[in-house]
Amino acid sequence: MKKIIIPSIVCVLFASCSGGNKETNKTETVVDKNSTFDNYKNNFIEDLWKIYPAWASSQGFHKYDSVLVVPDDNQRKKELAFVKANLDSLKKYDIKCLSYNNKTDYYMIENQLNSIEWSISELKSYEWDPSEYNVSGVFAEMLNGNYDSLDVRLRNFNLRMAAIPAFYEAAKKNIKNPTVEHTQLAVDQNMGGTSVFEKDFHEALNKVHFGEHEKQMMEANAKEAVNAIKSYAGWLKKLDNKTPRSFRLGKELYTKKFEFDIQSGYTVDEIYEKALAHKKELHEKMFELADKLWSKYIDNPALPREKSPPEKPKDSLQLIRMVIDEISAKHVQPDSFQTAIEKQLPVLIDFIKKKDLIYIDPSKPLVVRREPDYMAGVAGASISAPGPYDKNGNTYYNVGSLSGWDKNKAESYLREYNHYILQILNIHEAIPGHYTQLVYSNQSPSLIKSIFGNSTMIEGWAVYTERMMLENGYDDSPEMWLMYYKWNLRSTCNTILDYSVHTKNRSKEEAMNLLINEAFQQQAEAEGKWKRVSVTQVQLCCYFTGYTEIYDFREELKKQMGDKFNLKLFHEQFLSYGSAPVKYIKDLMLKEMEQCPALKKN
Ligand code: ZN
Ligand code: ZN
C-alpha cells in the first residue's frame, strides 16, 4: 500500500494544534495527547464490553461469553451512567490536538454515546419492539464459531443460558403497547430460534466428553431456556394489546434516528428531496436508452413474434419494463453461476489498473469460496470480513450455489442477476467496492471504526464505485447503463420508501406501486421490501445517502481543482480515513488540502 497520506498527516500535526504551552515542543505535546487518547479508547472499549457482553461476543471478544445481560431498569441505569461518565471523559480532550484517526474516533464514540442515551430515553424501542428480545443468534454463534475449544464454548453457553428465563421475564415487564408487526416478528423469530437449544446444542453436547451429571444439568438448563422462549412467544400471542403503537416511527423520532445512524452531512429532508429528483432523472435516462433499444429487442424482424411489429406502449415506464425484461434473458446457466463470478474478478482488477482508478494491493488477494452451509439459502454473493479481534483471518467472497434450486426459482434469480447485474454485483461486493474499501480501512487500524463502522460510508462507497466504473468505460453499452440505472433505482427507491412510510404515512398500496411500477421490481421482491420497512427504520436509507454524499463531494472537488483533480488520488485519500462518516472524511480532506497544498498536485 502506498503511504500517500504520511506527509500530509505530519503537516497537520504541526499546523492545527494551536494553543498549549509555548515552552514545549508542539509535536511532543500532540503525540502525548494522542497516546493518552489511545489509552482512553482502550479503557472505553473494555468497559463497553462489560456492559454489552453479547455485542462483545459478536465482535469476536469472548471474555464475557458466559454472561447474558437481563434487560431491566437496572441495566438501563448502568448504560446511562456509562454514557454520562464517558461523555465527561471526552470533554477532557481538545479535539484540535488529536490526529485524524483519533478525531474521527472521538466523533464516533461521542455519537455512539448520545445514540445510546437517546434510544433509552426517547426512542424506547425496548417497550414497543418485542423482537429486540431474541437470544438465539448469540447462542448459535457460540456453537458455529471455532475461536475456542468446543468444551469451553459449551460451558460458557451453559452459564449464559442459565439467565434466559430471567431475560424473558424482564422483557415481559418492559413491553407496553408494542406494534403488531414487531410482535409478529418476535413470535416468528423466537419460535424459529428454539432449535438452537432443542437440536444444535444437544448435538454439540454429544461431541464432548463431559461427565453424565454435568451433561444432565446442561440438558435441564436447555429445557428451561426453551420453555422460557416458548412462554414468551405464547405471552405475546395472547397479549391484550388494544392500542398497539404504529410501526411508523413518525417525523420527530425518524429525523433523530437518521442523525445518529446515518451521520450524514445532509438532513433527512434534503436526502429525500435528492432521492425524488434522482428517481426522475433515472427514469428520463432509462426511457431514452430503452427507446433506443426497442427496435433491437422488441420490434426486431429477426425474432419470431406473434404480433409484428408490436406497437410501442404509450406509458414510458411500461416501455422501459418491456426492454428490461428482454435484456434480462441474457444470463449464465445455474451450474456456471459461481465460475462466472470468479472469472470476473481478474477482469475488474485489470480494468482498474489500466485506467489507474485506485491502487489494488496484490498481497491481499480475495479468497473466493463457496458459501458455507450455515449461510446457505441467501445465494448471491457477500463479503465475510474477519472481526476486529481476528486480524489474521481471511476475507472471503462467499458465492452462493444454485444447486438444488427448482427450475423456476433459479430462472427468476438468474434473470435478476443477469449478465449485466452480475458484474455490478461484483463491483459492489468485491472490487473496487466492499473488499477494496476493507483492505484500505485495515491500513489505518482503529478498533473504534471496526466496532462503530459507519455503514452509510461503507455502503455508499460500494454504490459509488458501481457508477464510477461505468463512467470510466467498464462497459459502455446502452444495455449495461439501462440495467445499472435499474439497479441504482433500487437504492434510490429504498430511501423514498423508508422516509415516506415512516414520516408521511405512505400506504402499502402506494409503496407497492412505487416498487413494482416505478422501480421495476418483482412482486415477491416488493413484498419482502414492505415487510422490511415495517420492522426497520432508517437503515434502508444508507445506500443512497452514502452514495450521494461521496458523489457530490467528488464533483465539488473536481470543480474546485479543475485539471489538477486526480481520481486515483481522490479514491485512495478518501479511503485512507477508514470507515468513518463521509462528512468527517470530507472535512478532514478539505483541511488537509488547505494545509498541504502540495497534495493538490498529482
Ligand atoms: Zn433464462
Ligand atoms: Zn453492500
Side-chain angles (χ1 to χ4, degrees):
M1 175 86 34
K2 284 192 201 164
K3 299 274 187 216
I4 49 161
I5 58 159
I6 289 286
S8 42
I9 276 189
V10 173
C11 172
V12 167
L13 288 183
F14 282 108
S16 72
C17 189
S18 52
N21 194 335
K22 274 184 186 165
E23 305 291 305
T24 46
N25 179 310
K26 269 185 191 167
T27 330
E28 259 174 45
T29 318
V30 171
V31 169
D32 188 41
K33 289 248 166 73
N34 277 299
S35 70
T36 16
F37 191 69
D38 284 338
N39 286 336
Y40 163 71
K41 287 195 293 185
N42 287 334
N43 294 333
F44 166 77
I45 292 169
E46 278 280 317
D47 291 347
L48 182 75
W49 294 153
K50 267 183 223 153
I51 299 197
Y52 301 102
W55 188 2
S57 307
S58 75
Q59 299 290 306
F61 187 83
H62 297 288
K63 189 170 162 189
Y64 304 113
D65 266 15
S66 63
V67 183
L68 180 69
V69 160
V70 174
D72 56 11
D73 269 338
N74 193 35
Q75 167 69 12
R76 286 187 289 276
K77 268 185 205 140
K78 260 197 223 168
E79 292 177 28
L80 290 173
F82 169 78
V83 167
K84 193 179 175 305
N86 281 286
L87 284 175
D88 284 346
S89 302
L90 280 181
K91 284 189 194 121
K92 289 183 208 137
Y93 296 92
D94 184 355
I95 200 152
K96 285 200 301 289
C97 298
L98 298 177
S99 67
Y100 283 166
N101 195 15
N102 277 336
K103 261 185 194 150
T104 42
D105 280 359
Y106 180 107
Y107 288 130
M108 289 170 85
I109 294 172
E110 190 183 38
N111 181 73
Q112 187 65 42
L113 293 168
N114 285 325
S115 167
I116 294 172
E117 212 267 332
W118 174 78
S119 296
I120 295 176
S121 354
E122 307 286 332
L123 183 65
K124 295 189 172 184
S125 54
Y126 62 90
E127 290 183 351
W128 51 261
D129 177 4
S131 74
E132 276 187 11
Y133 310 105
N134 176 11
V135 293
S136 56
V138 183
F139 285 92
E141 269 176 46
M142 294 178 82
L143 297 180
N144 285 331
N146 48 9
Y147 51 87
D148 213 331
S149 73
L150 186 58
D151 286 28
V152 171
R153 284 184 284 131
L154 282 180
R155 288 199 168 106
N156 280 332
F157 187 107
N158 179 52
L159 290 169
R160 190 173 245 176
M161 178 165 66
I164 289 181
F167 177 94
Y168 283 104
E169 281 315 306
K172 289 179 194 170
K173 281 204 185 102
N174 289 339
I175 290 168
K176 292 184 188 83
N177 304 326
T179 82
V180 173
E181 292 75 10
H182 292 96
T183 304
Q184 188 56 48
L185 183 68
V187 171
D188 294 346
Q189 289 185 337
N190 273 287
M191 289 312 286
T194 54
S195 61
V196 174
F197 306 92
E198 285 177 321
K199 188 173 148 278
D200 305 349
F201 176 63
H202 182 76
E203 281 171 14
L205 213 48
N206 283 335
K207 290 184 201 152
V208 292
H209 301 281
F210 294 166
E212 254 335 286
H213 177 68
E214 190 178 8
K215 276 194 183 181
Q216 274 168 17
M217 244 173 48
M218 288 185 173
E219 295 276 17
N221 279 342
K223 226 179 206 146
E224 275 193 42
V226 171
N227 285 341
I229 296 170
K230 286 185 177 165
S231 124
Y232 176 62
W235 179 82
L236 285 175
K237 275 195 235 170
K238 281 191 293 197
L239 195 64
D240 187 21
N241 191 9
K242 287 201 187 73
T243 51
R245 182 194 172 99
S246 164
F247 74 86
R248 302 172 197 270
L249 204 53
K251 185 70 190 279
E252 204 181 314
L253 289 176
Y254 188 87
T255 304
K256 264 294 185 205
K257 192 166 200 281
F258 183 89
E259 279 174 33
F260 285 127
D261 293 1
I262 302 285
Q263 300 184 68
S264 166
Y266 293 118
T267 67
V268 70
D269 296 322
E270 284 168 337
I271 283 297
Y272 177 64
E273 291 303 325
K274 277 176 178 286
L276 286 179
H278 192 59
K279 182 185 74 170
K280 189 164 171 277
E281 194 188 320
L282 288 174
H283 279 162
E284 283 163 10
K285 286 177 174 163
M286 289 174 90
F287 176 70
E288 214 177 285
L289 291 169
D291 196 45
K292 236 191 264 171
L293 290 166
W294 174 268
S295 56
K296 181 171 169 187
Y297 284 91
I298 315 251
D299 183 13
N300 184 346
L303 294 172
R305 291 274 158 194
E306 282 177 27
K307 243 195 336 178
S308 180
E311 245 179 79
K312 272 191 192 181
K314 293 194 178 64
D315 179 355
S316 64
L317 292 179
Q318 203 194 334
L319 185 144
I320 296 170
R321 178 182 281 279
M322 286 173 75
V323 175
I324 283 176
D325 273 353
E326 291 298 319
I327 298 176
S328 303
K330 186 172 174 185
H331 62 71
V332 297
Q333 291 311 303
D335 53 358
S336 51
F337 186 67
Q338 280 181 285
T339 41
I341 288 182
E342 275 178 66
K343 276 188 201 149
Q344 268 169 30
L345 299 181
V347 177
L348 289 170
I349 294 174
D350 281 351
F351 178 80
I352 289 164
K353 270 193 200 152
K354 198 178 88 199
K355 294 279 177 164
D356 217 13
L357 299 177
I358 186 168
Y359 174 73
I360 305 273
D361 188 345
S363 71
K364 304 240 169 6
L366 180 55
V367 186
V368 182
R369 70 171 175 188
R370 196 192 148 144
E371 189 175 68
D373 284 344
Y374 67 88
M375 300 173 100
V378 197
S382 65
I383 292 284
S384 286
Y389 293 97
D390 183 17
K391 289 205 176 69
N392 298 319
N394 275 328
T395 297
Y396 293 104
Y397 192 28
N398 310 306
V399 179
S401 157
L402 276 64
S403 71
W405 283 38
D406 94 51
K407 222 178 132 199
N408 288 336
K409 191 179 166 196
E411 172 65 15
S412 147
Y413 185 82
L414 290 167
R415 285 180 63 87
E416 183 68 36
Y417 290 93
N418 56 60
H419 173 75
Y420 303 97
I421 299 288
L422 196 57
Q423 299 181 66
I424 296 170
L425 180 73
N426 273 324
I427 292 171
H428 178 107
E429 294 294 339
I431 295 162
H434 287 318
Y435 175 67
T436 305
Q437 192 263 326
L438 200 75
V439 174
Y440 272 80
S441 78
N442 287 341
Q443 302 294 310
S444 65
S446 152
L447 209 45
I448 295 294
K449 288 186 191 79
S450 306
I451 298 165
F452 306 146
N454 180 256
S455 55
T456 304
M457 181 272 177
I458 295 169
E459 288 303 341
W461 170 261
V463 176
Y464 161 77
T465 60
E466 298 162 4
R467 177 164 176 180
M468 185 276 290
M469 290 288 277
L470 294 201
E471 281 177 341
N472 282 281
Y474 177 69
D475 176 347
D476 218 14
S477 68
E479 283 91 344
M480 179 55 115
W481 277 103
L482 181 62
M483 290 316 260
Y484 163 71
Y485 288 142
K486 181 198 171 219
W487 178 261
N488 193 249
L489 201 50
R490 168 145 66 167
S491 50
T492 309
C493 287
N494 279 347
T495 299
I496 297 172
L497 175 77
D498 201 63
Y499 179 91
S500 59
V501 164
H502 284 291
T503 75
K504 292 164 107 54
N505 225 18
R506 178 177 286 221
S507 68
K508 182 176 180 187
E509 200 190 344
E510 288 168 315
M512 295 303 270
N513 181 52
L514 171 77
L515 298 174
I516 295 172
N517 298 325
E518 294 198 73
F520 312 106
Q521 295 180 3
Q522 300 297 317
Q523 180 81 23
E525 190 188 352
E527 290 278 356
K529 202 48 75 57
W530 174 257
K531 203 172 170 195
R532 187 166 157 196
V533 78
S534 61
V535 292
T536 67
Q537 318 87 25
V538 169
Q539 199 261 339
L540 280 168
C541 296
C542 75
Y543 304 83
F544 177 76
T545 306
Y547 153 77
T548 302
E549 287 196 280
I550 299 172
Y551 197 84
D552 286 0
F553 176 39
R554 188 192 78 181
E555 294 307 290
E556 198 183 309
L557 268 189
K558 260 173 144 174
K559 226 190 229 166
Q560 235 181 71
M561 295 171 69
D563 54 10
K564 277 182 189 153
F565 178 83
N566 178 308
L567 187 62
K568 181 168 186 267
L569 204 58
F570 169 76
H571 291 152
E572 290 167 357
Q573 182 88 359
F574 182 85
L575 291 185
S576 69
Y577 300 93
S579 309
V582 178
K583 63 175 173 185
Y584 299 135
I585 298 179
K586 180 177 166 180
D587 220 39
L588 294 173
M589 266 176 86
L590 290 174
K591 271 196 198 114
E592 199 167 353
M593 281 173 44
E594 243 168 61
Q595 276 145 6
C596 301
L599 245 189
K600 288 187 180 177
K601 291 174 197 139
N602 36 352

